[in-house]
Amino acid sequence: MKLNANSMVILSTYAQGMQQWFEGSLGQYLLKEEQNYFDRVVVDIFGFHALQVGFPQFNFLRANRIPFQFRMGISQGASFYALPDFLPIDSCSLDLILLPHILEFNSNPHQILREVQRVLIPGGQIVISGFNPLSLWGLNRYFKSAKQEFPWCGQFISLPRLKDWLKLLNFEIVGGRLGCYVPPCSKDRWIKRFHFMEAAGDRWWPISGGVYFLQAVKQVHGMHIIKPCWENSLSARRKIASATQKFKGTVKNE
């Protein structure tokens, strides 16, 4: 299997700058929002095997009760090292996959979704988080002087486009939300000052959240067994039998 060298370079840069960014005020704010969402969603998903692709130093599966859990990546904390373009996993073997911000930091997000679709069992679930380009966070990418730094170096994917990709791969959207309405300030005091925008954003401008979350289920189209109408057939027989018995009884009386 030939790995995508371009993907390796992008993911290496992504992994190196990510940890430093998450240690700052804005990174801690984002991490809290992401952890809270994943905790609420995965707690009610069951199965045998779950995989988190990316962010291996953070356990977004901690609230889930699936017995076999793995975190894949190219940095410390991963259960095994691999690229998301070609998952070293058998087809139809996983019940749950988390993709926290892995799509916008890879040169081929379509291939990642195809691999996810391949390894999920029918009815398996995928939970995705991504940066919203139609937000203050998205606009910040164009005014940032250091555009090569995380997370502004990513290619943010719009929510409608991601939904179209999932639909083409036979995924059904079953949940999701937007969050992080606070402007991407680097200082903790400004993040606290603008925190009122979280509640206001959910109510007045929900499509402008800095981060979106999507939950989808893998659908498999197959044959539907058409059962014979046994009940109608039995009812018809009972009516015939009753009419015959009545007729015979009438003849006998005469």
Side-chain angles (χ1 to χ4, degrees):
M1 179 176 65
K2 187 177 180 180
L3 295 178
N4 190 326
N6 214 9
S7 297
M8 177 64 85
V9 173
I10 293 175
L11 284 175
S12 296
T13 305
Y14 157 70
Q16 291 171 2
M18 181 180 63
Q19 184 61 42
Q20 184 178 1
W21 186 81
F22 271 105
E23 292 173 356
S25 299
L26 189 59
Q28 288 294 307
Y29 160 67
L30 173 67
L31 181 60
K32 182 180 178 181
E33 292 291 318
E34 302 242 338
Q35 191 72 70
N36 289 339
Y37 180 82
F38 283 118
D39 284 348
R40 291 197 306 271
V41 171
V42 303
V43 69
D44 293 324
I45 300 177
F46 302 97
F48 295 98
H49 300 92
L51 174 66
Q52 175 182 320
V53 181
F55 283 62
Q57 65 272 46
F58 307 120
N59 186 8
F60 293 130
L61 287 166
R62 67 182 187 182
N64 185 261
R65 287 168 282 181
I66 290 178
F68 301 103
Q69 300 181 2
F70 308 93
R71 281 175 279 168
M72 192 198 84
I74 57 172
S75 59
Q76 188 176 4
S79 306
F80 61 95
Y81 297 95
L83 293 177
D85 306 65
F86 299 97
L87 299 176
I89 301 171
D90 289 337
S91 300
C92 299
S93 60
L94 298 180
D95 302 275
L96 169 65
I97 296 181
L98 304 187
L99 295 180
H101 296 288
I102 199 67
L103 297 177
E104 58 256 61
F105 297 99
N106 191 282
S107 60
N108 196 352
H110 308 82
Q111 175 63 21
I112 295 177
L113 291 176
R114 283 192 290 268
E115 280 292 277
V116 169
Q117 197 272 349
R118 178 184 65 83
V119 300
L120 275 176
I121 66 169
Q125 298 197 43
I126 177 176
V127 185
I128 304 171
S129 66
F131 290 107
N132 182 15
L134 304 177
S135 67
L136 294 176
W137 291 59
L139 290 175
N140 193 56
R141 294 175 59 241
Y142 299 100
F143 298 101
K144 199 72 177 176
S145 57
K147 292 185 179 180
Q148 299 304 315
E149 294 180 357
F150 179 91
W152 320 117
C153 60
Q155 298 297 320
F156 295 179
I157 303 169
S158 68
L159 190 55
R161 178 178 297 180
L162 181 56
K163 288 182 177 180
D164 288 341
W165 291 352
L166 292 172
K167 185 177 180 180
L168 289 173
L169 291 170
N170 294 324
F171 280 99
E172 179 186 358
I173 307 297
V174 296
R177 68 177 296 267
L178 285 96
C180 295
Y181 295 93
V182 171
C185 309
S186 58
K187 301 296 183 180
D188 188 58
R189 66 175 182 272
W190 287 106
I191 294 176
K192 292 180 179 178
R193 184 170 295 182
F194 285 107
H195 198 266
F196 72 92
M197 295 178 67
E198 290 295 337
D202 270 337
R203 182 172 182 179
W204 299 110
W205 53 86
I207 62 171
S208 64
V211 175
Y212 58 74
F213 302 92
L214 273 184
Q215 182 183 0
V217 177
K218 176 182 174 180
Q219 300 292 317
V220 176
H221 302 291
M223 295 184 297
H224 296 277
I225 299 176
I226 301 176
K227 298 180 180 180
C229 299
W230 297 113
E231 294 183 0
N232 294 338
S233 178
L234 289 173
S235 298
R237 291 183 182 179
R238 291 193 187 100
K239 290 179 180 179
I240 293 173
S242 300
T244 305
Q245 291 172 1
K246 185 177 180 181
F247 177 76
K248 288 182 178 179
T250 304
V251 172
K252 186 176 181 181
N253 292 333
E254 290 176 356

